[in-house]
Amino acid sequence: MKFRNRLLWFGFAVAGLAALAVFISGETVIRRIVTDRVTERLQVEAIVLADVLARDRLALPDPGATLEPHAETDRLADLAGRDLGLRVTIVAPDGLVLGDSSVELEQLGALENHATRPEIVEARAAGMGASTRHSVTVRDDLYYLARRIDRDGRPAGFVRLAVPVSELERTTGNYSLKLAGFGFVALLGVALIGYLVARRFSRPIEEMSLAADEIAAGRRDTAIEVGSNDEIGQLGAALNRMTRALSAQIDSLSAEKSLRDTMLDGMSEGLVVVDTDRRVLLCNHALGRLLGFQAEDLADRPLIEVTREHGIIEAFDSVLGRGERRRDVVRLDTDGGRVFELNVVPLKGPDGSLLGAVGLLFDVTRLTMLESVRREFVADVSHELRTPLTTMKSFVETLLAGGIDDKENNRRFLEIIRKNGDRMEAIIDDLTDLSLIETGSILLEPERLELAPLVKELLDSARPKAVGLQVSLVMEIPRGVGIHADRRRLEQVLLNLLENGIKFNKPGGTVTVRAATNGDAPGAVRIEIEDTGVGIPADSIERVFHRFYRVDRSRSRQMGGTGLGLSIVKHLVRLQGGTVRVESRLGEGSRFILEFPAAV
């Protein structure tokens, strides 16, 4: 804020505080004066009314008579209250209210006895009494003044006048506000004069400040006009010389910064520079994304706050401690468990002193994953193909060694070779299907399908094999249950699960296919294939959908399985927007549950 503006606001504040002080102190004095004036007025009027009532025995009977509220007394109180603009109350010596200008005649009998009212008690003793309190009758705060009425040397009653406290405060406030306003205006005038004087002297300095801001913002063509030879003029000339001296340096630094920022922002690798105290000096946006921060938030923070990865901390500690470069492979849990190659080199000054270290993170997650998949795939395929190849080779060698002339066994040997060849062909076909599914090369043609006839066809095609293994096939699908899916791929999924249920069943067992709509999600369908077979161990349930995984390898090979069927089932169901899971107990059977969403 400008100096002259501060001076003006300071004047406003002083004027306001002074006005407030005048208002507070003046209100106290004025309140005292107003209260004294009102008291004097009430005293005079109370004396006059007391004299009138002392002579008027009709309105105020003698104390010896029976006293009770009556029309004459209340009428006198009403007339006096109307003429004076006050509340007038006439009270008997024993405290009974005989008349009140604020209360109807019929309601006077319901009023409380006033003998204990503070102003009545004081007036009884001293002739005059006053008090300020809340009136239950009129429901307001009132200032009361009571006068004792004497007749023949004895108290004949009391007359009490009352004025609302709010009227006193309103009168007091009006005077206080006027006094405070006058003081505020006077001090405000003084502040304005000071503002004008300060403006006269501060304008040249303000112009220099604006010119300096423009220079700092890059306006190097800005020059300060020097209009005098005094100290302010000399300051302007010095600023002009400084502008010319800094111009060349600004050009050089701007070019270097632009080049550096462009290089750092264009990098996909994470870059971080730390000093010898392990505090971040510089980093790029790629590193911020890897660590879950904004790059601007990492500056000047300790490296231990930026990342808790032990490998990164250890690499920088090693480089800063030994001054030698370091190369490691680290895994960052903050970015989905991605793997990075970390290269850290020492940062040295012109004199060879160690200034810090520079670290570069290369994302090698995909390369690591592909290498792992490649090794796993080669190992699985090699393992699966080795057995049939070894079998075929051994029987071919047997035939070449003379077994071909063995009429009793040569056809059996050739049948074994053919069987293992078919198994290898099945493995290759399943691998091809799985590769197409995983790469998204399969084009689905979804349509509305009636499940009951489709499943019946599949059961009929699988029945010969089921009869041979003494397994019963059951369908529990009501008519009208339909699904929106690719027919060919849905048949592939269901047939695969049916054949598994038949192969891994027991003689006399059953495979049941059920389907129903999902009540919680209209249009969704749930299909279950349940068997009474050997079941799946609890530790294998999560792995049965992995490639080449078999619960019982010897039985699976004996039945001609490739170990890829359930993996194909999982991918085909997911490809159509559904989910698949299995529930099983060893020795009791398994139930595969397929859930498909409603058609969009």
Side-chain angles (χ1 to χ4, degrees):
M1 184 182 291
K2 298 177 182 179
F3 171 76
R4 61 173 181 266
N5 292 337
R6 289 202 303 269
L7 182 62
L8 180 60
W9 284 110
F10 177 75
F12 286 162
V14 171
L17 292 175
L20 180 62
V22 170
F23 178 78
I24 295 174
S25 59
E27 184 179 16
T28 303
V29 175
I30 293 173
R31 180 187 293 275
R32 181 63 178 272
I33 294 173
V34 170
T35 303
D36 291 344
R37 293 293 177 85
V38 171
T39 302
E40 291 175 2
R41 173 199 167 192
L42 295 180
Q43 287 177 348
V44 172
E45 293 171 347
I47 292 172
V48 172
L49 284 174
D51 291 342
V52 171
L53 289 170
R55 293 192 299 270
D56 191 347
R57 296 180 181 274
L58 179 61
L60 185 65
D62 292 330
T66 301
L67 298 178
E68 61 180 7
H70 57 86
E72 183 63 25
T73 307
D74 188 60
R75 186 181 66 82
L76 179 62
D78 292 342
L79 290 174
R82 183 188 62 190
D83 294 339
L84 299 176
L86 304 171
R87 180 187 176 189
V88 177
T89 306
I90 301 173
V91 183
D94 60 353
L96 178 67
V97 177
L98 302 177
D100 195 310
S101 61
S102 298
V103 181
E104 297 296 332
L105 176 63
E106 295 78 7
Q107 299 175 353
L108 291 176
L111 297 179
E112 294 181 2
N113 190 286
H114 282 36
T116 59
R117 296 293 193 263
E119 64 276 5
I120 299 298
V121 173
E122 185 178 355
R124 189 190 304 278
M128 190 80 73
S131 69
T132 300
R133 57 186 175 78
H134 182 77
S135 172
V136 179
T137 304
V138 298
R139 298 177 182 178
D140 196 4
D141 292 335
L142 300 177
Y143 175 69
Y144 294 97
L145 187 140
R147 172 72 179 182
R148 188 182 65 206
I149 303 172
D150 293 329
R151 182 184 294 163
D152 300 329
R154 293 186 303 164
F158 302 91
V159 60
R160 186 183 67 177
L161 306 179
V163 62
V165 175
S166 58
E167 292 187 9
L168 299 178
E169 293 178 347
R170 184 164 54 250
T171 303
T172 302
N174 290 336
Y175 285 115
S176 299
L177 285 175
K178 290 179 182 178
L179 184 60
F182 176 77
F184 178 77
V185 171
L187 292 174
L188 185 60
V190 175
L192 289 174
I193 294 173
Y195 170 78
L196 295 175
V197 174
R199 181 180 179 183
R200 168 70 177 79
F201 291 102
S202 66
R203 183 178 292 276
I205 299 176
E206 180 181 341
E207 293 176 354
M208 290 184 188
S209 176
L210 293 175
D213 289 339
E214 293 180 357
I215 294 171
R219 291 283 304 277
R220 285 166 287 168
D221 57 341
T222 301
I224 298 173
E225 296 183 4
V226 180
S228 63
N229 293 324
D230 56 9
E231 291 82 355
I232 296 179
Q234 294 174 6
L235 177 61
L239 288 175
N240 287 333
R241 290 193 300 270
M242 180 187 68
T243 302
R244 292 190 295 270
L246 292 177
S247 180
Q249 297 183 19
I250 292 174
D251 285 338
S252 177
L253 293 175
S254 297
E256 291 181 6
K257 182 179 183 300
S258 177
L259 177 61
R260 186 200 68 184
D261 292 343
T262 302
M263 293 175 59
L264 292 180
D265 292 341
M267 294 175 60
S268 59
E269 297 81 9
L271 175 70
V272 59
V273 181
V274 302
D275 58 16
T276 54
D277 294 328
R278 280 73 169 173
R279 302 188 74 87
V280 176
L281 299 177
L282 178 68
C283 67
N284 62 354
H285 291 287
L287 181 76
R289 289 192 297 270
L290 295 177
L291 301 180
F293 294 96
Q294 293 292 332
E296 296 79 5
D297 299 336
L298 301 180
D300 200 38
R301 293 180 60 178
L303 186 62
I304 191 66
E305 292 184 6
V306 173
T307 177
R308 299 286 182 172
E309 175 57 40
H310 177 71
I312 296 179
I313 302 299
E314 183 182 4
F316 275 94
D317 287 343
S318 175
V319 171
L320 292 174
R322 301 178 183 178
E324 301 176 355
R325 63 175 57 231
R326 176 80 176 264
R327 179 180 178 275
D328 287 317
V329 175
V330 296
R331 182 182 299 273
L332 295 182
D333 295 333
T334 57
D335 198 32
R338 297 172 66 183
V339 181
F340 294 87
E341 178 182 313
L342 173 63
N343 288 282
V344 185
V345 296
L347 178 65
K348 297 183 178 180
D351 57 352
S353 60
L354 185 65
L355 301 179
V358 181
L360 198 60
L361 285 168
F362 295 90
D363 189 351
V364 294
T365 305
R366 183 171 178 79
L367 294 176
T368 303
M369 182 176 62
L370 291 176
E371 179 64 21
S372 176
V373 170
R374 184 190 66 81
R375 288 196 302 267
E376 181 181 346
F377 178 78
V378 170
D380 290 340
V381 173
S382 299
H383 178 76
E384 293 298 325
L385 294 179
R386 183 178 292 110
T387 300
L389 281 175
T390 301
T391 302
M392 293 171 65
K393 181 179 179 181
S394 63
F395 279 100
V396 168
E397 290 175 350
T398 300
L399 291 172
L400 291 175
I404 195 170
D405 298 326
D406 186 353
K407 295 181 179 181
E408 295 181 2
N409 295 309
N410 55 8
R411 291 185 62 85
R412 184 172 63 85
F413 292 164
L414 291 173
E415 185 65 26
I416 293 174
I417 293 174
R418 185 190 63 80
K419 181 178 179 181
N420 281 275
D422 291 343
R423 181 162 178 266
M424 291 177 63
E425 183 180 11
I427 292 175
I428 293 172
D429 289 343
D430 284 349
L431 283 173
T432 302
D433 278 352
L434 189 59
S435 176
L436 292 174
I437 294 170
E438 290 180 339
T439 56
S441 300
I442 290 181
L443 296 178
L444 298 179
E445 298 179 359
E447 58 180 305
R448 177 70 181 179
L449 301 172
E450 186 77 17
L451 275 178
L454 184 146
V455 173
K456 185 177 182 304
E457 292 179 8
L458 295 178
L459 293 179
D460 291 341
S461 65
R463 201 173 302 281
K465 182 181 291 186
V467 172
L469 295 175
Q470 303 178 27
V471 175
S472 300
L473 302 180
V474 179
M475 182 181 75
E476 297 178 359
I477 302 178
R479 290 191 175 276
V481 178
I483 187 173
H484 193 77
D486 184 287
R487 182 184 185 93
R488 180 184 168 210
R489 296 304 176 182
L490 182 61
E491 288 178 348
Q492 185 178 357
V493 168
L494 297 178
L495 190 58
N496 196 311
L497 295 175
L498 276 173
E499 291 179 349
N500 277 354
I502 295 171
K503 287 189 298 184
F504 297 100
N505 217 313
K506 304 172 184 177
T510 304
V511 177
T512 304
V513 182
R514 303 185 185 91
T517 56
N518 191 341
D520 296 333
V525 177
R526 175 187 175 108
I527 303 174
E528 297 181 1
I529 296 92
E530 184 175 6
D531 63 70
T532 59
V534 296
I536 303 171
D539 59 349
S540 298
I541 288 180
E542 296 296 330
R543 294 183 289 170
V544 292
F545 293 103
H546 294 182
R547 288 179 298 184
F548 297 113
Y549 183 79
R550 296 184 179 90
V551 177
D552 187 344
R553 292 185 175 272
S554 61
R555 181 166 183 171
S556 178
R557 290 198 179 97
Q558 182 181 356
M559 294 293 184
T562 64
L564 296 171
L566 290 181
S567 182
I568 293 174
V569 167
K570 178 187 71 173
H571 286 85
L572 283 177
V573 171
R574 287 184 178 178
L575 197 62
Q576 301 189 78
T579 60
V580 57
R581 55 190 173 89
V582 60
E583 298 175 355
S584 180
R585 296 187 66 177
L586 190 62
E588 298 182 9
S590 304
R591 178 171 58 181
F592 287 84
I593 303 169
L594 311 177
E595 293 180 338
F596 293 91
V600 180

